[in-house]
Amino acid sequence: MLCMSFLKFEDVHFAYPPVEGDVDDDGKQIVPPAIFDHFNAALPAGFVSLVGPNGSGKSTFMLLAAGRVLPQAGSVKIFGQDTSGVSPEDREQFASYIYQNMELDTDEETAALLEYVYKNGNLRGSASGILDNKKDFLQEIQEVFEVQDLLDKKFSALSKGQLQRALVTFALLYGSKSIFMDEPFFAMEDRQKEAALKYLKEYSAATCVPVYISMHELDLTKKYADTVMLFYPNHDIDLGTVEEVLMDEALEKSYGVPVSMLKQSEELSREQIARRLNF
């Protein structure tokens, strides 16, 4: 299935507003620099991984793309629709969004929430599985994301890793035309990350639903991404295949450290997360 470009940034300018009380040594208000200025891009569908250091613009890019924030100048068009003209009620039709460290404050049981999202989203409670079209879509993703044992648990009682698996199922069950995820897997076990990424890649290919995901694990990006966006501290972006973009020289320029140190940092981060989860 051929999936065409679906997202356009046209002469986009975006900067976060000054924070009241945030002043320099001379007492002058600090004005944040623009994240994007006269930014133009035509972005592809498919399974796209966003990589780069913290503060390089990944989250802001996805917030703009999904219509969760609007540019101060220029336009962002998703499926030909200017995000400034999409109401909050309709934007989920165009794009589901999983925020970094997202939480939902509810004591509803997980099963009830999954059923509600599935029946009240675009899929209207009826869709076939991607891996097995004889299965209902809800059953398939419950198995893939290992949420069967969570169904009778209150959502507020889920662990971080369990919560992340459930949130990804929400994004899929709603049936939006595109999905954006900001670091959705950091608390999952490695095998769960692999299973999730493998399924999301297959889901995107089978449905032509673009899936954009930011994550720090470069090895997983290299293994699963169709397209990579590499963000630099000055907010420049390289776009292309893994082979075109994730070259050692480009990674060192982006992260500001030798590639060998970058790999050590990734391993250390995974060890720290594992210790935190087992605490």
Side-chain angles (χ1 to χ4, degrees), residues 18-37:
V19 177
E20 185 176 352
D22 191 7
V23 298
D24 61 20
D25 293 339
D26 296 325
K28 295 181 179 180
Q29 175 70 56
I30 296 175
V31 179
I35 306 296
F36 297 107
D37 192 30

Side-chain angles (χ1 to χ4, degrees), residues 51-53 56 230-233 249-257:
V51 298
S56 58
L230 176 61
F231 288 68
Y232 293 89
E249 182 179 352
L251 288 170
E252 291 176 355
K253 179 181 176 183
S254 172
Y255 287 91
V257 297

Side-chain angles (χ1 to χ4, degrees), residues 4 16 19-20 23 39-40 49 60-61 77-78 109 119 121 138-139 157-158 163 179 185 189 197 204 235 239 276 278:
M4 306 300 290
Y16 288 103
V19 177
E20 185 176 352
V23 298
F39 177 61
N40 293 278
S49 178
T60 302
F61 170 85
K77 294 180 179 178
I78 184 167
E109 289 187 351
K119 290 180 179 179
L138 173 59
Q139 178 189 354
L158 299 184
L163 176 64
I179 299 173
F185 299 145
E189 298 175 15
L197 290 166
S204 179
H235 309 305
L239 173 71
R276 194 181 312 148
N278 293 326

Side-chain angles (χ1 to χ4, degrees), residues 140-205:
E140 180 173 277
I141 65 170
Q142 284 177 346
E143 295 171 359
V144 170
F145 293 96
E146 300 181 11
V147 298
Q148 303 101 313
D149 294 340
L150 313 179
L151 297 179
D152 60 352
K153 290 186 177 182
K154 291 183 178 180
F155 207 72
S156 58
L158 299 184
S159 70
K160 191 64 178 178
Q162 292 170 340
L163 176 64
Q164 288 182 331
R165 299 203 308 275
L167 288 172
V168 175
T169 64
F170 287 168
L172 290 165
L173 285 173
Y174 190 85
S176 300
K177 294 173 68 177
S178 61
I179 299 173
F180 296 85
M181 303 182 183
D182 194 356
E183 294 291 341
F185 299 145
F186 73 86
M188 291 188 194
E189 298 175 15
D190 286 345
R191 64 173 182 80
Q192 292 170 335
K193 293 179 186 179
E194 294 260 2
L197 290 166
K198 184 175 185 294
Y199 185 80
L200 288 169
K201 182 181 176 75
E202 292 175 339
Y203 172 82
S204 179

Side-chain angles (χ1 to χ4, degrees), residues 184-235:
F185 299 145
F186 73 86
M188 291 188 194
E189 298 175 15
D190 286 345
R191 64 173 182 80
Q192 292 170 335
K193 293 179 186 179
E194 294 260 2
L197 290 166
K198 184 175 185 294
Y199 185 80
L200 288 169
K201 182 181 176 75
E202 292 175 339
Y203 172 82
S204 179
T207 62
C208 265
V209 171
V211 176
Y212 277 55
I213 178 171
S214 69
M215 55 185 175
H216 286 296
E217 295 94 338
L218 291 173
D219 55 338
L220 294 179
T221 289
K222 292 176 180 178
K223 186 172 182 179
Y224 292 104
D226 298 322
T227 305
V228 179
M229 298 180 71
L230 176 61
F231 288 68
Y232 293 89
N234 67 351
H235 309 305

Side-chain angles (χ1 to χ4, degrees), residues 40-139:
N40 293 278
L43 286 305
F47 189 72
V48 181
S49 178
L50 286 67
V51 298
N54 292 334
S56 58
K58 302 187 301 296
S59 296
T60 302
F61 170 85
M62 289 201 293
L63 288 168
L64 285 163
R68 270 46 178 189
V69 299
L70 301 177
Q72 284 99 17
S75 66
V76 178
K77 294 180 179 178
I78 184 167
F79 300 104
Q81 177 74 47
D82 193 318
T83 57
S84 66
V86 179
S87 69
E89 295 77 20
D90 291 338
R91 67 186 182 191
E92 290 289 347
Q93 307 289 326
F94 290 92
S96 289
Y97 195 101
I98 296 180
Y99 293 84
Q100 192 175 93
N101 291 317
M102 186 173 179
E103 295 183 3
L104 294 178
D105 186 18
T106 176
D107 283 332
E108 289 278 352
E109 289 187 351
T110 302
L113 291 172
L114 292 173
E115 288 281 355
Y116 180 85
V117 172
Y118 190 33
K119 290 180 179 179
N120 291 275
N122 291 340
L123 299 180
R124 299 301 178 193
S126 179
S128 299
I130 300 301
L131 306 179
D132 183 353
N133 61 16
K134 295 181 180 179
K135 279 186 180 179
D136 184 74
F137 187 51
L138 173 59
Q139 178 189 354

